[in-house]
Amino acid sequence: EAQQRGNLAITTDGSQTHNAITIKGGTMGAKVTLSNVNIETTSNAADSVSGSVELVIAGTNTNTLRSGPKHAGVEKADDNGTLTISGFGTLNAYGGESGAGIGGAWHKNASNIVIEGGTIEANGGNWGAGIGGGHGAAGQNITIRDGNVTAKPGGEAAGIGGGCRGD
């Protein structure tokens, strides 16, 4: 478990790992750059963020984040912080069953998500939004300013917004 203040870059050779990333931005914020990261977990979130976090998707690399059941691919805490995704690379985020691709876990709302660039493909697990809430949860205050964004929901959920039976 690495703990660091300030800007952090995570660069790999693209090989798959089962090690998850947890980013706690707090009120001061954190900036983390991902380059060629490939995470697949079976029981938790591949990347979980809380507080204010800027996730920079580097260069021409592809980053893949695939989470286990009841978790979002990039899981944002239901707090007042803002998750900002920027950069020029590619991010493929896959929620596990009931989780959003980017946003909330099972029965967890997600708000304050901003996408400012990159090629983003957010795939909700069954009943999870592509970008927004997990199953039974809302997704709100989601802004896309730039980039090439594809949001694919799981069954009966929104592409961008709430999960199945979410507001």
Side-chain angles (χ1 to χ4, degrees):
E1 177 178 312
Q3 294 184 3
Q4 179 177 331
R5 294 195 183 274
N7 298 342
L8 175 67
I10 301 172
T11 303
T12 73
D13 64 5
S15 297
Q16 190 177 81
T17 182
H18 302 292
N19 297 321
I21 300 170
T22 300
I23 305 168
K24 297 179 180 179
T27 56
M28 298 298 290
K31 183 175 183 178
V32 177
T33 301
L34 300 182
S35 180
N36 219 25
V37 173
N38 184 358
I39 298 173
E40 181 170 350
T41 65
T42 57
S43 61
N44 51 17
D47 183 7
S48 60
V49 302
S50 62
S52 292
V53 172
E54 181 177 3
L55 198 59
V56 180
I57 310 305
T60 59
N61 295 302
T62 297
N63 298 275
T64 302
L65 302 172
R66 188 179 303 266
S67 294
K70 299 184 179 179
H71 290 281
V74 176
E75 189 167 295
K76 185 192 175 296
D78 186 11
D79 61 15
N80 291 327
T82 299
L83 167 62
T84 303
I85 299 174
S86 64
F88 299 100
T90 298
L91 172 63
N92 298 319
Y94 299 87
E97 183 173 332
S98 299
I102 298 172
W106 177 69
H107 286 277
K108 297 291 183 183
N109 298 325
S111 60
N112 306 325
I113 299 171
V114 178
I115 298 177
E116 295 184 335
T119 299
I120 312 298
E121 184 172 306
N123 300 276
N126 287 338
W127 308 295
I131 302 172
H135 181 197
Q140 48 197 350
N141 198 21
I142 299 167
T143 304
I144 299 173
R145 293 192 176 125
D146 201 357
N148 182 0
V149 179
T150 303
K152 298 178 182 177
E156 301 180 36
I160 299 175
C164 175
R165 296 191 179 114
D167 291 338

